Amino acid sequence: MRIAVLTGAGISAESGIRTFRASDGLWEDHRIEDVATPEGFARDPDLVHRFYNQRRATAAAAEPNAAHRALARLAGHAQLTLITQNVDDLHERGGSEAVIHMHGTLTGALCAACDHRWQAPAVMSPSDPCPACGKPSTRPDIVWFGEMPYRMEEIWEAVAKADLFAAIGTSGQVYPAAGLAQHARRCGARTVELNLATSAVSRDFDDHLVGPASEIVPLWVDRLIAESRA
Ligand code: APR
């Protein structure tokens, strides 16, 4: 069975990584336009690097939870395409490979002058010279609002081919990720949403599993594996 899974901040919430739009969400004490747009970076690169240095430290101190590990298990029993909006590396540390990070990664650094990419140090600053061109124009390799998400052709294609599309822990408020369920449905897939609550796109899903990801994702994966053996 071909399964495409999209994850959002909710899958890492129980690992201690803040989501964005909950009452204690990241966007409650940071303005998106200041820390997650190219304009904000041009205005105050130091503020932006401080924001991502903090998120990089939080992610490095976090551990994958049972939901991350369950998806790694699923890959051994289905043709799984794992797409994430998250910039932490908990899927990889939970055992998943070939994760598609459509919004970039905290472990990546990018040169705004020459597009060179390299492994980000734990702490980045605006004066860091690019290892390739030497210019002090390094930024986190994160896709900001107004920028094109990474690997969208690959994502649209994998979702179009899927028999089953699942969205786990995402509020469905940011496109193009939020449009993937509709795309899957149009291409004939069954769709399931796994979340603590309803999302902005719950109507695009055939099935809904409600609960904390660390509980409902392992149960969902175990059921899929049992069905694959039947
Ligand atoms: N288990 C399952 N779902 C959860 C849990 C949990 N323990 N905790 C929270 N959730 C759900 C919430 O109900 C919500 O639907 O996770 C979702 C989190 O929503 P957001 O904070 O909006 O995060 P996300 O959907 O990933 O945001 C998408 O927006 O800010 C940008 O680039 C950023 O990638 C991010 C994108």
Side-chain angles (χ1 to χ4, degrees):
M1 178 189 266
R2 291 164 302 189
I3 304 176
V5 173
L6 168 72
T7 64
I11 199 169
S12 297
E14 292 161 90
S15 296
I17 295 183
R18 291 166 73 180
T19 62
F20 294 95
R21 295 174 179 83
S23 52
D24 64 345
L26 271 172
W27 298 145
E28 290 307 307
D29 48 20
H30 297 278
R31 286 173 4 118
I32 286 178
E33 50 273 36
D34 291 341
V35 294
T37 61
E39 297 76 15
F41 183 67
R43 213 173 24 251
D44 188 346
D46 197 47
L47 169 69
V48 173
H49 274 302
R50 284 204 309 276
F51 175 65
Y52 286 98
N53 289 339
Q54 176 54 50
R55 291 186 65 193
R56 195 173 297 110
T58 303
E63 288 300 325
N65 63 55
H68 297 103
R69 289 193 296 273
L71 291 179
R73 235 182 23 247
L74 180 59
H77 298 268
Q79 279 175 266
L80 176 66
T81 301
L82 180 51
I83 304 152
T84 188
Q85 300 171 92
N86 299 342
V87 294
D88 64 58
D89 60 350
L90 295 187
H91 280 304
E92 289 84 351
R93 289 200 274 137
S96 290
E97 295 170 358
V99 181
I100 300 178
H101 282 273
M102 63 187 296
H103 290 168
T105 61
L106 286 167
T107 53
L110 168 65
C111 176
C114 74
D115 263 355
H116 177 63
R117 282 182 167 79
W118 68 98
Q119 180 84 12
V123 178
M124 291 181 78
S125 88
S127 56
D128 291 349
C130 164
C133 73
K135 293 200 180 92
S137 48
T138 67
R139 55 171 278 187
D141 189 9
I142 298 280
V143 177
W144 285 327
F145 286 86
E147 296 184 323
M148 265 309 286
Y150 290 147
R151 302 173 63 180
M152 279 315 298
E153 282 311 309
E154 196 180 337
I155 290 170
W156 288 123
E157 195 178 328
V159 171
K161 288 179 181 165
D163 304 300
L164 176 62
F165 174 79
I168 302 173
T170 180
S171 63
Q173 304 205 38
V174 175
Y175 285 80
L180 292 177
Q182 233 179 35
H183 178 57
R185 223 183 204 175
R186 264 201 306 269
C187 298
R190 190 145 185 87
T191 54
V192 56
E193 184 174 58
L194 295 88
N195 199 311
L196 263 187
T198 53
S199 74
V201 289
S202 288
R203 67 185 174 287
D204 295 341
F205 292 87
D206 303 307
D207 303 307
H208 299 88
L209 301 178
V210 180
S214 69
E215 288 173 26
I216 62 174
V217 175
L219 292 173
W220 175 67
V221 165
D222 289 346
R223 199 164 67 231
L224 285 174
I225 292 175
E227 285 166 6
S228 74
R229 288 178 175 145

Short mmCIF file of all heavy atoms in Angstrom, two decimals, residues 8-11 13-14 19-22 27 32 85-86 103 143 145 169-174 194-199 211-213, ligand 1:
data_model
loop_
_atom_site.label_atom_id
_atom_site.label_comp_id
_atom_site.label_asym_id
_atom_site.label_seq_id
_atom_site.Cartn_x
_atom_site.Cartn_y
_atom_site.Cartn_z
N GLY A 8 2.83 17.79 11.26
CA GLY A 8 2.97 19.19 11.69
C GLY A 8 3.45 19.22 13.13
O GLY A 8 3.77 18.18 13.73
N ALA A 9 3.46 20.41 13.68
CA ALA A 9 4.05 20.64 15.01
C ALA A 9 3.44 19.74 16.09
O ALA A 9 4.09 19.41 17.07
CB ALA A 9 3.89 22.11 15.38
N GLY A 10 2.20 19.32 15.90
CA GLY A 10 1.51 18.51 16.91
C GLY A 10 2.20 17.19 17.18
O GLY A 10 2.12 16.65 18.29
N ILE A 11 2.93 16.64 16.19
CA ILE A 11 3.57 15.34 16.42
C ILE A 11 4.79 15.50 17.33
O ILE A 11 5.19 14.55 18.00
CB ILE A 11 3.96 14.64 15.10
CG1 ILE A 11 4.18 13.13 15.35
CG2 ILE A 11 5.22 15.28 14.45
CD1 ILE A 11 4.31 12.28 14.11
N ALA A 13 4.82 17.92 19.78
CA ALA A 13 4.39 18.65 20.99
C ALA A 13 4.72 17.85 22.26
O ALA A 13 5.23 18.39 23.25
CB ALA A 13 2.90 18.94 20.92
N GLU A 14 4.47 16.54 22.23
CA GLU A 14 4.70 15.72 23.45
C GLU A 14 6.18 15.46 23.68
O GLU A 14 6.56 14.88 24.69
CB GLU A 14 3.91 14.41 23.35
CG GLU A 14 2.39 14.64 23.42
CD GLU A 14 1.63 13.46 22.87
OE1 GLU A 14 1.30 12.55 23.63
OE2 GLU A 14 1.35 13.48 21.66
N THR A 19 4.18 24.16 19.75
CA THR A 19 3.51 24.33 18.45
C THR A 19 3.42 25.84 18.20
O THR A 19 4.03 26.63 18.91
CB THR A 19 2.10 23.69 18.50
OG1 THR A 19 1.33 24.39 19.49
CG2 THR A 19 2.17 22.21 18.85
N PHE A 20 2.69 26.22 17.15
CA PHE A 20 2.69 27.63 16.75
C PHE A 20 1.45 28.37 17.19
O PHE A 20 1.50 29.54 17.58
CB PHE A 20 2.83 27.72 15.21
CG PHE A 20 4.14 27.22 14.72
CD1 PHE A 20 4.28 25.90 14.29
CD2 PHE A 20 5.24 28.04 14.71
CE1 PHE A 20 5.51 25.43 13.85
CE2 PHE A 20 6.48 27.58 14.27
CZ PHE A 20 6.61 26.27 13.84
N ARG A 21 0.29 27.68 17.09
CA ARG A 21 -0.97 28.45 17.19
C ARG A 21 -1.80 28.08 18.42
O ARG A 21 -2.94 28.47 18.52
CB ARG A 21 -1.78 28.25 15.90
CG ARG A 21 -1.04 28.87 14.71
CD ARG A 21 -1.70 28.59 13.36
NE ARG A 21 -0.91 29.25 12.31
CZ ARG A 21 0.19 28.72 11.78
NH1 ARG A 21 0.61 27.52 12.16
NH2 ARG A 21 0.90 29.35 10.86
N ALA A 22 -1.19 27.27 19.32
CA ALA A 22 -1.94 26.99 20.56
C ALA A 22 -1.83 28.21 21.46
O ALA A 22 -1.12 29.18 21.14
CB ALA A 22 -1.29 25.78 21.25
N TRP A 27 3.82 31.63 18.04
CA TRP A 27 3.37 32.91 17.47
C TRP A 27 2.66 33.78 18.49
O TRP A 27 2.18 34.84 18.16
CB TRP A 27 2.51 32.66 16.23
CG TRP A 27 3.19 31.97 15.09
CD1 TRP A 27 2.64 31.09 14.23
CD2 TRP A 27 4.58 32.05 14.70
NE1 TRP A 27 3.56 30.65 13.32
CE2 TRP A 27 4.76 31.22 13.60
CE3 TRP A 27 5.68 32.77 15.17
CZ2 TRP A 27 5.99 31.08 12.95
CZ3 TRP A 27 6.90 32.64 14.54
CH2 TRP A 27 7.06 31.79 13.44
N ILE A 32 5.36 36.80 13.45
CA ILE A 32 5.81 36.08 12.25
C ILE A 32 6.61 37.03 11.35
O ILE A 32 7.70 36.68 10.87
CB ILE A 32 4.59 35.50 11.49
CG1 ILE A 32 4.02 34.29 12.25
CG2 ILE A 32 4.97 35.12 10.07
CD1 ILE A 32 2.78 33.67 11.62
N GLN A 85 6.20 19.37 7.90
CA GLN A 85 6.32 20.83 7.95
C GLN A 85 7.31 21.21 9.06
O GLN A 85 7.70 22.36 9.17
CB GLN A 85 4.97 21.47 8.24
CG GLN A 85 3.90 21.17 7.20
CD GLN A 85 2.54 21.66 7.65
OE1 GLN A 85 2.13 22.78 7.36
NE2 GLN A 85 1.84 20.82 8.38
N ASN A 86 7.65 20.23 9.89
CA ASN A 86 8.50 20.50 11.06
C ASN A 86 9.96 20.68 10.65
O ASN A 86 10.42 20.06 9.69
CB ASN A 86 8.37 19.37 12.09
CG ASN A 86 6.95 19.23 12.61
OD1 ASN A 86 6.13 20.15 12.47
ND2 ASN A 86 6.63 18.07 13.14
N HIS A 103 9.55 22.65 4.89
CA HIS A 103 9.82 23.99 5.42
C HIS A 103 11.26 24.14 5.87
O HIS A 103 11.58 25.07 6.61
CB HIS A 103 8.87 24.30 6.60
CG HIS A 103 7.45 24.48 6.14
ND1 HIS A 103 6.39 24.52 7.02
CD2 HIS A 103 6.93 24.61 4.91
CE1 HIS A 103 5.27 24.70 6.32
NE2 HIS A 103 5.56 24.74 5.04
N VAL A 143 12.27 27.64 5.41
CA VAL A 143 11.41 28.30 4.41
C VAL A 143 10.52 29.28 5.15
O VAL A 143 9.70 28.87 5.99
CB VAL A 143 10.56 27.25 3.66
CG1 VAL A 143 9.61 27.96 2.68
CG2 VAL A 143 11.45 26.27 2.91
N PHE A 145 7.69 32.57 5.48
CA PHE A 145 6.43 32.96 4.83
C PHE A 145 6.77 33.81 3.60
O PHE A 145 7.65 34.66 3.65
CB PHE A 145 5.56 33.73 5.82
CG PHE A 145 4.93 32.86 6.86
CD1 PHE A 145 5.63 32.54 8.03
CD2 PHE A 145 3.69 32.27 6.66
CE1 PHE A 145 5.07 31.70 8.98
CE2 PHE A 145 3.11 31.44 7.61
CZ PHE A 145 3.82 31.15 8.77
N GLY A 169 -1.19 16.03 13.37
CA GLY A 169 -0.75 17.16 14.19
C GLY A 169 -0.51 18.44 13.43
O GLY A 169 0.49 19.12 13.68
N THR A 170 -1.41 18.76 12.50
CA THR A 170 -1.27 20.04 11.81
C THR A 170 -2.62 20.75 11.74
O THR A 170 -3.66 20.13 11.55
CB THR A 170 -0.67 19.89 10.39
OG1 THR A 170 -0.56 21.18 9.77
CG2 THR A 170 -1.47 18.95 9.52
N SER A 171 -2.57 22.08 11.90
CA SER A 171 -3.81 22.87 12.01
C SER A 171 -4.43 23.18 10.65
O SER A 171 -5.51 23.74 10.56
CB SER A 171 -3.52 24.19 12.74
OG SER A 171 -2.61 24.95 11.97
N GLY A 172 -3.68 22.85 9.57
CA GLY A 172 -4.24 23.07 8.23
C GLY A 172 -4.43 24.54 7.91
O GLY A 172 -5.34 24.93 7.17
N GLN A 173 -3.55 25.38 8.45
CA GLN A 173 -3.70 26.82 8.21
C GLN A 173 -2.68 27.39 7.24
O GLN A 173 -2.74 28.56 6.90
CB GLN A 173 -3.61 27.56 9.55
CG GLN A 173 -4.64 27.05 10.54
CD GLN A 173 -5.01 28.08 11.59
OE1 GLN A 173 -5.11 29.25 11.29
NE2 GLN A 173 -5.21 27.60 12.80
N VAL A 174 -1.69 26.56 6.85
CA VAL A 174 -0.63 27.07 5.98
C VAL A 174 -0.60 26.25 4.69
O VAL A 174 -0.47 25.02 4.72
CB VAL A 174 0.73 27.03 6.70
CG1 VAL A 174 1.86 27.43 5.77
CG2 VAL A 174 0.70 27.96 7.92
N LEU A 194 -5.23 12.78 11.98
CA LEU A 194 -4.94 12.39 13.35
C LEU A 194 -4.54 13.66 14.09
O LEU A 194 -3.53 14.30 13.76
CB LEU A 194 -3.80 11.36 13.41
CG LEU A 194 -4.08 9.99 12.77
CD1 LEU A 194 -3.74 10.00 11.29
CD2 LEU A 194 -3.29 8.87 13.48
N ASN A 195 -5.35 14.04 15.08
CA ASN A 195 -5.13 15.34 15.73
C ASN A 195 -5.83 15.33 17.09
O ASN A 195 -6.70 14.51 17.34
CB ASN A 195 -5.72 16.45 14.82
CG ASN A 195 -5.17 17.82 15.14
OD1 ASN A 195 -5.14 18.21 16.29
ND2 ASN A 195 -4.69 18.52 14.13
N LEU A 196 -5.39 16.29 17.91
CA LEU A 196 -6.05 16.48 19.22
C LEU A 196 -7.43 17.09 19.04
O LEU A 196 -8.31 16.92 19.88
CB LEU A 196 -5.23 17.48 20.06
CG LEU A 196 -4.23 16.98 21.08
CD1 LEU A 196 -3.71 18.17 21.86
CD2 LEU A 196 -4.82 15.93 22.00
N ALA A 197 -7.57 17.85 17.96
CA ALA A 197 -8.82 18.62 17.76
C ALA A 197 -9.12 18.67 16.27
O ALA A 197 -8.37 18.12 15.46
CB ALA A 197 -8.60 20.03 18.31
N THR A 198 -10.21 19.37 15.90
CA THR A 198 -10.46 19.53 14.46
C THR A 198 -9.48 20.59 13.95
O THR A 198 -8.92 21.37 14.72
CB THR A 198 -11.91 20.03 14.21
OG1 THR A 198 -12.10 21.20 14.99
CG2 THR A 198 -12.93 18.97 14.56
N SER A 199 -9.28 20.58 12.63
CA SER A 199 -8.35 21.55 12.04
C SER A 199 -9.14 22.40 11.03
O SER A 199 -10.34 22.19 10.83
CB SER A 199 -7.23 20.81 11.29
OG SER A 199 -7.76 20.27 10.08
N GLY A 211 -6.91 12.46 19.46
CA GLY A 211 -6.16 12.14 20.67
C GLY A 211 -4.72 12.60 20.52
O GLY A 211 -4.33 13.09 19.46
N PRO A 212 -3.93 12.43 21.58
CA PRO A 212 -2.52 12.81 21.49
C PRO A 212 -1.76 11.89 20.54
O PRO A 212 -1.95 10.67 20.58
CB PRO A 212 -2.02 12.70 22.92
CG PRO A 212 -3.05 11.96 23.68
CD PRO A 212 -4.31 11.96 22.92
N ALA A 213 -0.90 12.46 19.74
CA ALA A 213 -0.21 11.69 18.69
C ALA A 213 0.54 10.49 19.27
O ALA A 213 0.52 9.39 18.68
CB ALA A 213 0.78 12.60 17.96
N1 APR B 1 -1.13 15.31 19.35
C1 APR B 1 -1.75 15.53 18.16
N2 APR B 1 -1.99 16.77 17.67
C2 APR B 1 -1.60 17.82 18.43
C3 APR B 1 -0.96 17.66 19.67
C4 APR B 1 -0.73 16.34 20.13
N3 APR B 1 -0.12 16.09 21.29
N4 APR B 1 -0.71 18.91 20.18
C5 APR B 1 -1.18 19.79 19.27
N5 APR B 1 -1.72 19.14 18.23
C6 APR B 1 -2.30 19.72 17.01
C7 APR B 1 -3.15 20.95 17.24
O1 APR B 1 -4.51 20.58 17.46
C8 APR B 1 -2.99 21.68 15.90
O2 APR B 1 -3.95 21.23 14.95
O3 APR B 1 -1.21 20.16 16.22
C9 APR B 1 -1.59 21.28 15.43
C10 APR B 1 -0.55 22.36 15.58
O4 APR B 1 -0.91 23.42 14.72
P1 APR B 1 0.14 24.58 14.45
O5 APR B 1 0.69 25.07 15.74
O6 APR B 1 -0.54 25.56 13.53
O7 APR B 1 1.35 23.87 13.68
P2 APR B 1 1.42 23.44 12.15
O8 APR B 1 0.09 23.04 11.63
O9 APR B 1 2.53 22.46 12.03
O10 APR B 1 1.88 24.82 11.45
C11 APR B 1 2.16 24.74 10.07
O11 APR B 1 2.86 27.05 10.13
O12 APR B 1 3.98 28.63 11.33
C12 APR B 1 4.06 27.82 10.22
O13 APR B 1 5.99 26.97 9.20
C13 APR B 1 5.22 26.87 10.36
O14 APR B 1 5.34 24.55 9.73
C14 APR B 1 4.56 25.51 10.42
C15 APR B 1 3.24 25.74 9.73
#
